[in-house]
Amino acid sequence: MSPLHQFATLNHNRAVMVRQYAAYLSLLSLMAACAAGAMEGSGFIETVRKGLIAMMIFFPLGWFLGELGRQTAEDMAQKDLTQNDLADSSPGLPTDSVTAR
């Protein structure tokens, strides 16, 4: 059994990565907007309003990018597992991704 099989069998909610990425990106946009407002000397209400607008823009963007990253990671892991399974089933054929031991 290859080391990658242990990750392929984990039971987890697939949307966790998506939600975390969206939340982190929206919080970073809030922090950036608040820092920009503080450096400009803007009022508190105006700064918070701009920060909340930035969060509303960047949360969906983060959700989309997180989903894209999740799908890419799963596809790459599936491809690696398939290549390793093929290499294990036919040890006489050399492959680029698997080194002989």
Side-chain angles (χ1 to χ4, degrees):
M1 178 179 265
S2 73
L4 288 177
H5 283 291
Q6 66 183 345
F7 299 113
T9 59
L10 291 176
N11 292 325
H12 67 283
N13 186 359
R14 293 180 175 185
V16 169
M17 178 180 171
V18 176
R19 280 194 309 264
Q20 287 179 345
Y21 198 82
Y24 293 150
L25 191 60
S26 66
L27 289 175
L28 282 173
S29 69
L30 174 68
M31 289 179 6
C34 288
M39 290 173 58
E40 291 175 357
S42 299
F44 178 76
I45 301 295
E46 182 183 344
T47 301
V48 171
R49 186 180 308 136
K50 286 181 181 179
L52 292 176
I53 291 171
M55 285 182 74
M56 291 187 330
I57 292 170
F58 280 94
F59 188 85
L61 180 64
W63 190 278
F64 173 75
L65 293 175
E67 179 64 25
L68 186 65
R70 182 193 64 79
Q71 288 178 359
T72 303
E74 283 184 359
D75 289 346
M76 289 178 64
Q78 185 63 35
K79 181 181 173 185
D80 287 345
L81 287 173
T82 304
Q83 286 179 350
N84 286 340
D85 286 344
L86 289 175
D88 290 343
S89 65
S90 57
L93 300 174
T95 60
D96 294 336
S97 64
V98 178
T99 59
R101 293 183 186 191

